[in-house]
Amino acid sequence: MRALCWNGVNKVEVENVPDPKILNDRDAIVQITSTAICGSDLHLLDGYVPTMKKGDVLGHEFMGEVVEVGKGVSNLSVGDRVVVPFPIACGACNACNMELYSLCENSNPNARIAEKMFGHPTAGIFGYSHLTGGFAGGQSEFARVPFADVGPIKIENGFSDEQVLFLSDIFPTGYMGAEMCDIQGGEVIAIWGAGPVGQFAAASARMLGAERVIVIDRFEYRLAIAEQHSGVETLNYEEVDSVPEALKELTGGRGPDACIDAVGMEAHFHGPLYAYDRAKQAARMETDRPYVLREAIMSCRNGGIVSIVGVYGGFVDKFPMGALMNRGLSIRTGQCHVQRYLRPLLERVQNGEIDPSFVVTHRLPLDEAPRGYELFKHKEDDCLKVVLKP
Amino acid sequence: MATHSIRTRDKDSLAVFLGWFSVGLGTAQLLAPKAMCKIVGASGDGASRRLMRLMGARELTQGIGILTRPRPTNWLWARVAGDGLDLSLLTLTLAKNRNGRTLLAIANVLGVTAPDVYESLHLSRKTGEPREGMPVRKAVTINRPREEVERAWANAQELRERVLEADATVSFSEAPGNRGTELAVDFIEQPPAGDLGKAVQKLSGKDLATQLADDLRRFKQLLETGEIVRSDATPAGHLLADHLKQRPAQPLEEAIR
């Protein structure tokens, strides 16, 4: 089959690789009909996630048709149309019992590497380094889905692929980012990053009843999409002198009730601190550039919540711990527990509360995936989200 | 309440660090005396090379002593004495050559003398018999009732034999908050040649703690999910020894079952 392989930093190519096979009884093989490039794939492309190996098949946002099931899978049959969540979860361990699916205790065969890095291991993820198990990803024609009786959700209504594909990652991820803000109604929420996750965080914050949502980015086309589709206010950080000051002034001096970091480890900004972070990251003296995180903490109102859904990988420098502690802020974060959100969010799509396809700007055949990565990485041609068709 | 004695030992991480520091420096002095002479600003002629080698042998011996003994108090004091010797030799060299490198070397020796003295005093304060081995526990929480876990353990013959061989003991208890069963394997970690032997075992993936961690993870997987999870990179399931030779995350040519 054809699959997109990581062949080194800034090098991805579509190659012929063997077709996946059933390895465990609870596996299924899915013929992929749509798959997307995620912002976190760019961290892999850029070489900021350790334990990548030449030839790794990427992709963790995908859906398709079940073509084979292992003998331990009774809830799916050949021909079913499914969306596959990016974390792999067994459904039987304590973490899964608590619906913390991205922390499944059994799905990562490389748990020991993850344990060394993070203290405790995390779940397996499709196409997302060997730290998360070394599972082949879904930017390919077929994919093997372990624990297929737990993760995939059947799509039985006549939705288009693009309306449901993002249930695999970015829609639930954005939603969880907003949910972690404890929105009761009447809040002001600030969101850094108007990429696909930021867009869904903004839309979700509105759905959950936030009174005002302010999205921060530097790309006008992305801010315009957020404004159009989610009715939010926007702030172009390249045009303001200081984001925390601007947010203070926009919120009666209080600061936003909650701040969502939908950017993560490769934050971009202007100023001397950016040069400092780039240099330290290049010298491998810090793995992540936490500029947005610093800004979110400094901006948040006293006693507020900082919700982190942008991806971080290792260590950050100049972390404003004093502000966090003394001003009583709470940090909430995590890789999304997608399985928990599949059904409720599909219902919201069914009820017409949201049509997730609004983020799609580019549709390419799988063979043009490398160009898709280029477009997305460099934000060329007003790119927001690339969907690949195998 | 009880004071736990898990992972208690006389040697702390500073002593272990200083031991490895000695081994590293000593090896360099023994194998590359000319380069080391240059670094400290000495002439590098036959006599000084021989002296450098001699100091290297001393350094290496101290390192091995620190790493292999359970409470290496005297070996740490030997490091302090060695620092004194190094300082006097370097002072002589400085008087002869007036070289900036020698001055830097003196500063470095002084820099390491401080932790040497600190750790020697720390170990000197310890009384009683030195603790030979370190009690280690590998534990896992399995989300199944205790009877079921005990029954599965009784049937896991290979695992039971390994535990028996290692003179380890197994215990089961109910995890707090209805989270299933805690399975704990306790043993005394006492590799031949102390920390030196431990490092060799660790690198080869043959130390018991690592193997048990792998085994218990698999035991848990089987009980909770009914299978050993395999990925494309680790088709045989999780084993530490295979980590470095993992395949790319790409489907296999042939299904291995």
Side-chain angles (χ1 to χ4, degrees):
Chain A
M1 67 165 182
R2 307 285 286 159
L4 181 100
C5 299
W6 185 90
N7 281 334
V9 175
N10 284 321
K11 208 168 157 204
V12 285
E13 283 152 326
V14 176
E15 291 176 8
N16 284 317
V17 304
D19 286 350
K21 286 135 202 113
I22 302 269
L23 295 182
N24 284 115
D25 288 345
R26 293 169 67 187
D27 290 355
I29 306 291
V30 171
Q31 179 168 18
I32 292 161
T33 52
S34 288
T35 173
I37 303 174
C38 179
S40 57
D41 288 330
L42 297 180
H43 302 316
L44 303 175
L45 180 74
D46 295 346
Y48 286 120
V49 177
T51 74
M52 290 295 292
K53 255 193 144 93
K54 257 189 188 171
D56 285 352
V57 177
L58 301 188
H60 56 265
E61 298 179 0
F62 61 94
M63 64 177 295
E65 192 185 308
V66 176
V67 292
E68 196 184 345
V69 289
K71 54 178 187 270
V73 182
S74 52
N75 60 327
L76 293 181
S77 0
V78 171
D80 283 347
R81 188 170 172 231
V82 291
V83 174
V84 181
F86 78 84
I88 303 169
C90 77
C93 63
N94 276 312
C96 286
N97 267 5
M98 291 189 276
E99 295 198 304
L100 301 171
Y101 297 99
S102 74
L103 302 171
C104 172
E105 296 161 15
N106 288 315
S107 63
N108 183 354
N110 284 335
R112 179 157 280 271
I113 311 182
E115 193 176 26
K116 278 272 173 247
M117 270 293 280
F118 297 145
H120 290 272
T122 52
I125 298 179
F126 294 99
Y128 202 71
S129 88
H130 289 241
L131 193 65
T132 57
F135 290 95
Q139 284 161 10
S140 53
E141 290 179 86
F142 297 90
R144 164 187 168 243
V145 178
F147 297 124
D149 52 334
V150 177
I153 184 170
K154 264 194 258 187
I155 304 295
E156 287 163 317
N157 297 10
F159 294 114
S160 71
D161 274 15
E162 286 172 15
Q163 284 175 302
V164 289
L165 170 63
F166 306 126
L167 288 172
S168 59
D169 178 354
I170 52 171
F171 181 18
T173 296
Y175 184 86
M176 185 169 115
E179 194 190 56
M180 289 190 294
C181 297
D182 268 356
I183 297 169
Q184 312 286 326
E187 288 84 355
V188 184
I189 310 287
I191 301 172
W192 276 255
V197 169
Q199 298 284 349
F200 282 117
S204 303
R206 295 293 291 180
M207 276 196 299
L208 290 169
E211 189 154 322
R212 292 175 63 198
V213 176
I214 306 169
V215 175
I216 304 146
D217 204 300
R218 68 181 157 134
F219 293 100
E220 287 295 345
Y221 75 93
R222 292 186 166 200
L223 292 173
I225 292 174
E227 208 178 325
Q228 235 169 48
H229 287 272
S230 308
V232 299
E233 303 161 46
T234 61
L235 194 63
N236 186 329
Y237 69 83
E238 283 197 328
E239 285 168 14
V240 301
D241 162 57
S242 152
V243 170
E245 285 304 318
L247 286 172
K248 213 183 263 180
E249 287 157 21
L250 286 169
T251 56
R254 300 183 310 272
D257 298 295
C259 294
I260 302 177
D261 171 357
V263 175
M265 66 201 282
E266 290 185 74
H268 169 276
F269 52 97
H270 281 294
L273 207 52
Y274 182 62
Y276 168 85
D277 276 322
R278 286 297 308 224
K280 283 206 87 164
Q281 199 178 32
R284 295 289 185 261
M285 289 164 75
E286 69 175 342
T287 53
D288 305 15
R289 302 196 297 263
Y291 191 77
V292 161
L293 189 53
R294 293 183 195 125
E295 236 175 39
I297 290 172
M298 297 311 281
S299 304
C300 197
R301 76 150 159 84
N302 283 356
I305 295 171
V306 177
S307 159
I308 309 167
V309 285
V311 173
Y312 288 88
F315 299 92
V316 301
D317 201 1
K318 304 279 177 290
F319 183 80
M321 194 61 218
L324 188 71
M325 188 271 156
N326 289 291
R327 300 205 295 109
L329 304 182
S330 303
I331 286 213
R332 299 205 181 154
T333 182
Q335 289 280 7
C336 183
H337 308 294
V338 178
Q339 284 85 338
R340 191 204 286 177
Y341 299 101
L342 285 172
R343 263 160 236 295
L345 292 187
L346 182 62
E347 262 168 42
R348 286 187 190 264
V349 178
Q350 258 157 357
N351 299 342
E353 288 174 66
I354 184 169
D355 178 356
S357 63
F358 77 90
V359 295
V360 182
T361 53
H362 290 74
R363 297 159 183 92
L364 296 173
L366 177 65
D367 277 329
E368 286 181 45
R371 193 166 78 85
Y373 271 82
E374 282 297 299
L375 286 169
F376 189 37
K377 177 174 172 169
H378 301 293
K379 284 104 179 162
E380 287 165 16
D381 193 26
D382 286 359
C383 182
L384 178 61
K385 189 72 181 175
V386 182
V387 173
L388 303 168
K389 294 281 183 183
Chain B
M1 294 302 277
T3 300
H4 295 294
S5 57
I6 290 286
R7 291 198 177 251
T8 45
R9 63 188 306 209
D10 286 351
K11 220 183 323 185
D12 53 34
S13 58
L14 178 57
V16 176
F17 169 79
L18 292 169
W20 283 113
F21 180 81
S22 274
V23 167
L25 181 62
T27 308
Q29 285 174 299
L30 268 175
L31 298 180
K34 199 169 168 189
M36 292 303 286
C37 281
K38 200 172 161 203
I39 287 173
V40 304
S43 70
D45 61 16
S48 45
R49 283 217 301 274
R50 273 194 296 282
L51 188 60
M52 184 58 85
R53 276 220 167 94
L54 197 66
M55 291 301 110
R58 184 209 81 213
E59 195 73 51
L60 190 61
T61 314
Q62 289 163 353
I64 292 171
I66 292 170
L67 292 175
T68 51
R69 300 304 307 148
R71 188 192 291 165
T73 317
N74 292 336
W75 287 108
L76 251 308
W77 281 119
R79 266 197 61 86
V80 176
D83 293 336
L85 187 57
D86 286 345
L87 282 174
S88 26
L89 287 171
L90 286 169
T91 312
L92 286 176
T93 312
L94 184 68
K96 226 172 15 186
N97 297 352
R98 307 217 158 262
N99 191 324
R101 285 166 183 239
T102 314
L103 215 53
L104 194 67
I106 290 175
N108 279 328
V109 175
L110 284 173
V112 79
T113 305
D116 279 337
V117 172
Y118 173 85
E119 185 62 19
S120 301
L121 289 170
H122 173 69
L123 287 180
S124 298
R125 278 192 289 268
K126 290 192 184 273
T127 52
E129 279 297 298
R131 284 186 258 228
E132 287 284 345
M134 178 168 76
V136 169
R137 169 178 292 178
K138 283 287 146 188
V140 71
T141 301
I142 300 169
N143 191 20
R144 310 296 306 171
R146 183 168 162 176
E147 308 79 61
E148 191 185 331
V149 175
E150 291 194 25
R151 215 170 328 121
W153 183 262
N155 290 327
Q157 190 158 359
E158 218 176 298
L159 196 49
R160 269 185 21 241
E161 274 168 19
R162 177 174 295 187
V163 165
L164 214 62
E165 245 170 67
D167 224 359
T169 54
V170 180
S171 56
F172 303 87
S173 58
E174 265 121 48
N178 276 330
R179 274 174 290 188
T181 308
E182 288 177 11
L183 191 174
V185 179
D186 284 278
F187 62 97
I188 303 290
E189 187 179 82
Q190 198 170 1
D195 286 287
L196 215 52
K198 188 168 157 181
V200 174
Q201 283 183 345
K202 267 230 154 104
L203 285 175
S204 59
K206 289 202 172 90
D207 70 310
L208 185 63
T210 304
Q211 284 182 347
L212 271 176
D214 278 353
D215 288 342
L216 294 183
R217 231 191 275 281
R218 291 163 80 98
F219 184 71
K220 170 185 162 79
Q221 273 184 12
L222 269 178
L223 265 172
E224 288 184 344
T225 76
E227 54 190 36
I228 301 289
V229 185
R230 302 135 167 250
S231 71
D232 310 274
T234 61
H238 178 268
L239 278 178
L240 178 85
D242 297 337
H243 269 177
L244 292 177
K245 24 182 202 221
Q246 285 204 358
R247 304 178 65 255
Q250 200 176 84
L252 299 142
E253 283 293 347
E254 288 302 322
I256 304 167
R257 306 239 43 198

